[in-house]
C-alpha cells in the first residue's frame, strides 16, 4: 500500500501542516499541498485567497514557487 511508503507519509504530514496556515477568509476552504521533486525534496504550499479571485494562489502552485 502506498501509505506505508515513508516519503508519502511525510508528504501527507507536510500537506496537513501547510493546510493549517492556509489563508482562506472568503471560502473558508483551507487547502495544503506537498510537492516532491526528483531529489526527494518536499516543498509545502498553502492556499492564499484574495478578494479578487484572479489574485488568489492555489496550494500546489505555492509549493512549486
Amino acid at each position: 500500500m502506498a501509505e506505508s511508503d515513508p516519503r508519502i507519509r511525510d508528504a501527507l504530514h507536510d500537506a496537513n501542516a501547510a493546510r493549517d496556515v492556509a489563508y482562506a477568509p472568503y471560502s473558508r476552504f483551507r487547502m495544503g499541498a506537498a510537492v516532491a521533486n526528483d531529489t526527494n525534496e518536499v516543498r509545502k504550499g498553502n492556499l492564499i485567497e484574495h478578494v479578487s479571485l484572479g489574485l488568489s494562489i492555489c496550494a500546489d502552485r505555492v509549493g512549486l514557487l
Side-chain angles (χ1 to χ4, degrees):
M1 180 175 256
E3 287 82 11
S4 62
D5 185 341
R7 295 174 298 172
I8 294 174
R9 187 177 59 243
D10 292 344
L12 287 171
H13 180 269
D14 289 344
N16 284 329
R19 181 185 61 201
D20 291 341
V21 295
Y23 181 71
Y26 307 106
S27 69
R28 294 188 182 98
F29 185 78
R30 301 174 79 151
M31 188 178 352
V35 181
N37 62 17
D38 57 352
T39 62
N40 290 328
E41 177 188 15
V42 176
R43 308 225 17 207
K44 293 186 275 188
N46 55 296
L47 174 66
I48 302 171
E49 283 187 346
H50 189 273
V51 69
S52 167
L53 181 61
L55 295 177
S56 296
I57 305 174
C58 60
D60 47 347
R61 181 181 246 176
V62 172
L64 293 173
L65 294 177

